[in-house]
Amino acid sequence: MKRILSLSMTILLAASLIAPTALAAKKEGNQLAENASSAILIERDTGAVLYQKNSDQKLPPASMTKIMTMLLIMDAVDKGELKLNEKIRTSEYAASMGGSQIFLEPGEEMTTEQMLRGISIGSANDASVAVAERLAGSEEAFVKKMNEKAKELGLKNTRFQNATGLPVKNHYSTAHDMSIMAKELLKYDLITKFTGTYESFLREGTDKKFWLVNTNRLVKFYPGVDGLKTGFTNEAKYCLTATAKKGNMRVIAVIFGAPSPKERNAQITKMLDYAFSQYTTHPIYKRDIKLGESSISKGSRKTVTGVTSEPISVLTKKGSSAKDFTQKITMKKQLKAPIERGDQIGTLKIMKDNKVIVTSPIVARENVKKANWWELYKRAFGMFSQTK
């Protein structure tokens, strides 16, 4: 049987806390994103909303769709279901994708890492579909996984019909939902290795060497920007989900429906400047830090380690006074094998004055399979030594 572990600690921070609301930027009105259909600005670790405009309006996301595509790829890599050096074969269907592409040929193979470079830097539709087919068997099955992931993240105003963002009916998202997808993707530090690269090459050493230039020009021209994804169609106009990090603070800014690339980048720049000038992030935990253990019934191991699923911080206004905060760790009870790496087995809450400021899942660090009959037999008779 499992027990609930509750631990309260006092955390001293040299500032007062900012709750995850959009009140902080009220004085700015719509000036940060005046020429956009919708926008949002959040701090990554806390999810605190620093600014928003029409952030729940359903709009076509164009190639920002690939944020979810990349998230499912990184989930699979993290779980060991996909290797970065694994070669992925291109089907005739994947090779037939229009729009942005790296001109994959039917039967051509590239590694997962090369495909990710094509997707994140060059917005490659053909690479997106090739990896989607590898992970789910077909693009249609992969899209089902995309929508399931959106539901898991609590996104109520997002619906995907493809893995690329190419125009199609009933394919939409919102600035708010896109920021949450980006927040989730950015828990994988590796992703910015790709999204933060301005230029790269594919098929090096061949007569088909292909030059990739990042569609997100802010990667080169705004210090600290290292992602994430642009988007454009005639219907969607110019879109961008951008992220930047300065010191301990990472923010995410989303724009839908800007009239030009110049205007899109200018408004993203305003939002980033506003965030870094007004707020400070105070880190508490990095990702994958052990917070506790839970017991498992009928597992190959008797316990599973619970770790942070993402970086944990609190956000404050610059120049505020010191305050006390507490944290509460609650581990689930009555867990049963099998448990997969990344499954939620607990919750971490950061609180101030008994008000929850930050809530984050505690997840399993390792897989725990079901015990076989021989293991259960030996355990029942005290012959099986405890596994930790």
Side-chain angles (χ1 to χ4, degrees), residues 13-26:
L13 299 174
S16 48
L17 196 65
I18 301 298
T21 71
L23 299 178
K26 263 191 172 180

Side-chain angles (χ1 to χ4, degrees), residues 333-352:
K333 58 181 180 178
Q334 297 181 336
L335 291 178
K336 294 182 180 180
I339 299 292
E340 292 187 3
R341 172 180 166 85
D343 285 352
Q344 183 171 354
I345 61 171
T347 303
L348 169 66
K349 293 181 179 180
I350 306 297
M351 298 173 292
K352 176 182 177 293

Side-chain angles (χ1 to χ4, degrees), residues 66 69 115 119 123-133 142 163-164:
K66 296 183 178 80
T69 300
M115 292 285 191
I119 296 166
S123 194
N125 295 324
D126 45 3
S128 297
V129 174
V131 183
E133 291 176 332
F142 185 79
T164 60

Side-chain angles (χ1 to χ4, degrees), residues 31 46 51 58 94 99 105-106 117 129 141 148 176 190 196-197 202 230 235 238 245 285 304 319 345 370 379 382-383:
Q31 297 307 306
T46 62
Y51 168 81
K58 295 178 182 178
E105 297 181 358
R117 277 195 278 146
V129 174
E148 287 172 351
H176 168 269
L190 178 64
T197 298
L202 294 172
T230 59
E235 181 186 12
Y238 293 91
K245 185 176 183 180
Y285 291 114
V304 61
I345 61 171
K370 283 186 176 181
R379 191 177 299 168
M383 297 169 60

Side-chain angles (χ1 to χ4, degrees), residues 225-243:
V225 170
D226 52 6
L228 272 169
K229 192 69 201 70
T230 59
F232 171 78
T233 63
N234 290 331
E235 181 186 12
K237 297 184 180 179
Y238 293 91
C239 308
L240 174 58
T241 297
T243 184

Side-chain angles (χ1 to χ4, degrees), residues 45-341:
D45 289 1
T46 62
V49 178
L50 310 181
Y51 168 81
Q52 61 181 330
K53 173 188 175 183
N54 303 329
S55 62
D56 289 325
Q57 182 179 354
K58 295 178 182 178
L59 294 166
S63 279
M64 293 194 301
T65 297
K66 296 183 178 80
I67 290 176
M68 178 59 86
T69 300
M70 290 189 288
L71 173 56
L72 292 184
I73 294 171
M74 294 307 299
D75 280 349
V77 170
D78 185 63
K79 292 179 179 179
E81 298 169 356
L82 182 65
K83 304 294 184 184
L84 287 173
N85 61 359
E86 177 183 335
K87 289 187 176 181
I88 297 175
R89 186 180 182 278
T90 305
S91 70
E92 288 192 16
Y93 174 68
S96 72
M97 292 297 107
S100 301
Q101 56 188 301
I102 53 176
F103 300 98
L104 291 167
E105 297 181 358
E108 183 176 3
E109 293 184 337
M110 283 191 181
T111 65
T112 301
E113 182 170 351
Q114 290 169 328
M115 292 285 191
L116 265 172
R117 277 195 278 146
I119 296 166
S120 60
I121 302 172
S123 194
N125 295 324
D126 45 3
S128 297
V129 174
V131 183
E133 291 176 332
R134 158 60 182 85
L135 289 177
S138 68
E139 184 184 19
E140 182 180 9
F142 185 79
V143 170
K144 183 178 179 181
K145 288 180 176 290
M146 294 171 73
N147 287 317
E148 287 172 351
K149 187 69 174 183
K151 184 177 180 181
E152 177 188 321
L153 294 174
L155 310 183
K156 298 180 180 179
N157 296 306
T158 291
R159 183 72 186 175
F160 297 114
Q161 300 294 339
N162 58 43
T164 60
L166 287 168
V168 65
K169 186 178 179 181
N170 204 33
H171 184 102
Y172 56 82
S173 189
T174 68
H176 168 269
D177 287 5
M178 197 58 61
S179 73
I180 300 303
M181 285 180 249
K183 181 181 187 298
E184 185 74 5
L185 177 59
L186 285 165
K187 74 182 185 182
Y188 298 118
D189 293 338
L190 178 64
I191 194 61
T192 54
K193 170 186 175 182
F194 303 109
T195 61
T197 298
Y198 185 69
E199 58 182 349
S200 184
F201 290 93
L202 294 172
R203 305 185 187 91
E204 291 183 87
T206 74
D207 58 358
K208 295 182 180 180
K209 185 176 181 179
F210 191 83
W211 184 36
L212 291 169
V213 179
N214 204 316
T215 55
N216 180 7
R217 299 295 189 259
L218 291 179
V219 166
K220 184 175 183 179
F221 297 109
Y222 191 103
V225 170
D226 52 6
L228 272 169
K229 192 69 201 70
T230 59
F232 171 78
T233 63
N234 290 331
E235 181 186 12
K237 297 184 180 179
Y238 293 91
C239 308
L240 174 58
T241 297
T243 184
K245 185 176 183 180
K246 290 187 178 181
N248 292 320
M249 184 175 177
R250 177 177 287 284
V251 295
I252 298 165
V254 183
I255 285 281
F256 274 76
S260 69
K262 182 178 180 180
E263 193 63 40
R264 174 188 66 188
N265 292 348
Q267 292 175 100
I268 289 285
T269 296
K270 282 184 180 180
M271 287 196 285
L272 296 179
D273 287 345
Y274 173 79
F276 291 124
S277 68
Q278 299 297 312
Y279 300 97
T280 301
T281 297
H282 303 268
I284 300 175
Y285 291 114
K286 294 182 179 180
R287 182 172 178 259
D288 204 35
I289 299 299
K290 179 179 177 180
L291 295 181
E293 290 186 342
S294 287
S295 299
I296 303 177
S297 64
K298 298 183 179 180
S300 57
R301 299 161 56 101
K302 290 186 176 181
T303 62
V304 61
T305 304
V307 298
T308 50
S309 60
E310 59 186 343
I312 306 296
S313 304
V314 292
L315 183 70
T316 68
K317 285 284 285 184
K318 285 190 172 180
S320 300
S321 59
K323 298 289 182 180
D324 294 340
F325 304 96
T326 61
Q327 70 174 18
K328 183 177 181 180
I329 297 169
T330 304
M331 306 300 292
K332 287 184 179 179
K333 58 181 180 178
Q334 297 181 336
L335 291 178
K336 294 182 180 180
I339 299 292
E340 292 187 3
R341 172 180 166 85

